[in-house]
Amino acid sequence: MSDTRAVPRHLAVIMDGNGRWAEQRRRPRIIGHRAGARAVQRCLEFCLERGVEVLTLYAFSSENWGRPAEEVGGLMKLFAGTLEREAEEMHRRGICLRFIGDRSRFSAALQAKMQAAEALTRGNTRMTLAIAASYGGRQDLAMAARQLAEQVAQGQLRPEEIDEARLGQHTALADLPPPDLMIRTGGDLRISNFLLWQLAYAELWFTPQLWPDFDRDTLQQAFDDFAARQRRFGLTPAQLAPAPQGHSQV
Ligand code: FPP
């Protein structure tokens, strides 16, 4: 029987479909991104209600810099405006805001807003909202490898001391539980360079719904499916089954 109360501790989301949503309405793509920002609010609300501890949103990939300048500029304005409006409110609600990715590519003004929002909300413990911006999973791993290489070069680490745990400690969000559930909207069935390391044992859930249409019903459906799945982490079903009543467990 499924446990419908099982809620992912960490939910990661690829918010895809904003552009198509706008194009279906014959509107500029930025209108889809603005509607996407409203869907972010709905998703956040739902996760707060359900007690999700970490919500990670893929807002802008390292590859998205290659989009037309007008769209990139519009997105930067949207990020800056949203941060300006929402940072205080997030703080009030006990949310700790984090940004992962290569923020050196953002304008100095946007970087300052990100830093200020992180500093303001650092001590909050109700939920962590991680925004992946200018983020790429391969880049994340390359940076982790570079940091370890620097430690080796400085004589602080021997190559044979490098293992999964040590590499993982240098990847983004290493201090948080890894994603339990990854949702992608917009119909494509791929990971698109998102959290490549961290998603190793995440349950994947896909929907054709476009991100601006994403609502509580869809999220509930994803959570219900998640609760019904058996996560085996490489073990067999028998290994995971609880021992029958009256039998000793060895
Ligand atoms: C992918 O849809 C979406 C993005 C590249 C941007 C995501 C941004 C938001 C949801 C806006 C607000 C976010 C925050 C955190 C304030 P797409 O443009 O690739 O859609 P398509 O596949 O239909 O073209």
Side-chain angles (χ1 to χ4, degrees):
M1 197 176 70
S2 74
D3 176 4
T4 50
R5 292 161 305 159
V7 165
R9 288 181 74 189
H10 184 166
L11 171 66
V13 187
I14 299 180
M15 310 180 287
D16 197 18
N18 294 350
R20 276 166 286 164
W21 187 91
E23 282 158 16
Q24 283 170 4
R25 289 160 179 76
R26 301 187 196 290
R27 306 293 307 278
R29 293 175 62 87
I30 191 64
I31 299 295
H33 295 312
R34 285 188 203 141
R38 294 192 289 276
V40 167
Q41 290 293 345
R42 289 197 294 274
C43 181
L44 179 63
E45 201 64 46
F46 187 92
C47 289
L48 281 169
E49 282 171 25
R50 296 305 153 100
V52 171
E53 291 169 41
V54 187
L55 173 62
T56 302
L57 302 174
Y58 205 7
F60 196 80
S61 73
S62 38
E63 291 74 30
N64 286 153
W65 289 109
R67 290 194 175 196
E70 192 187 343
E71 183 173 347
V72 172
L75 273 168
M76 294 304 127
K77 266 174 92 171
L78 180 61
F79 294 150
T82 308
L83 250 186
E84 190 128 340
R85 274 194 317 277
E86 302 295 336
E88 281 286 346
E89 176 64 7
M90 299 228 181
H91 180 47
R92 200 185 58 74
R93 303 181 83 182
I95 298 169
C96 172
L97 201 52
R98 297 250 298 249
F99 296 91
I100 59 169
D102 178 12
R103 65 176 81 184
S104 70
R105 297 186 72 178
F106 293 117
S107 71
L110 187 47
Q111 285 184 50
K113 281 191 205 327
M114 290 165 134
Q115 214 172 343
E118 284 179 333
L120 175 71
T121 63
R122 183 159 293 134
N124 294 338
T125 53
R126 184 174 175 203
M127 178 207 263
T128 298
L129 174 60
I131 307 288
S134 189
Y135 176 86
R138 288 179 174 180
Q139 166 194 277
D140 191 358
L141 285 169
M143 289 304 118
R146 184 186 292 186
Q147 285 167 22
L148 292 178
E150 279 165 1
Q151 290 182 9
V152 171
Q154 286 164 13
Q156 297 163 349
L157 184 70
R158 282 178 286 120
E160 58 272 25
E161 288 175 318
I162 297 175
D163 57 12
E164 286 184 25
R166 205 177 280 267
L167 182 68
Q169 281 163 11
H170 290 266
T171 58
L173 308 177
D175 55 322
L176 298 169
D180 302 293
L181 174 64
M182 195 284 288
I183 296 177
R184 180 177 185 140
T185 61
D188 285 327
L189 308 180
R190 52 177 175 259
I191 294 179
S192 298
N193 204 14
F194 188 39
L195 299 176
L196 296 179
W197 178 274
Q198 297 85 341
L199 289 174
Y201 280 102
E203 295 295 322
L204 308 182
W205 197 86
F206 299 92
T207 171
Q209 191 172 49
L210 304 177
W211 176 252
D213 292 326
F214 194 68
D215 57 14
R216 301 174 66 88
D217 288 349
T218 314
L219 205 37
Q220 184 61 56
Q221 206 184 319
F223 278 25
D224 286 346
D225 284 355
F226 171 78
R229 290 189 192 180
Q230 186 188 48
R231 304 182 74 196
R232 292 196 293 277
F233 301 98
L235 303 180
T236 67
Q239 285 176 297
L240 294 167
Q245 292 280 321
H247 291 247
S248 65
Q249 203 172 11
V250 285

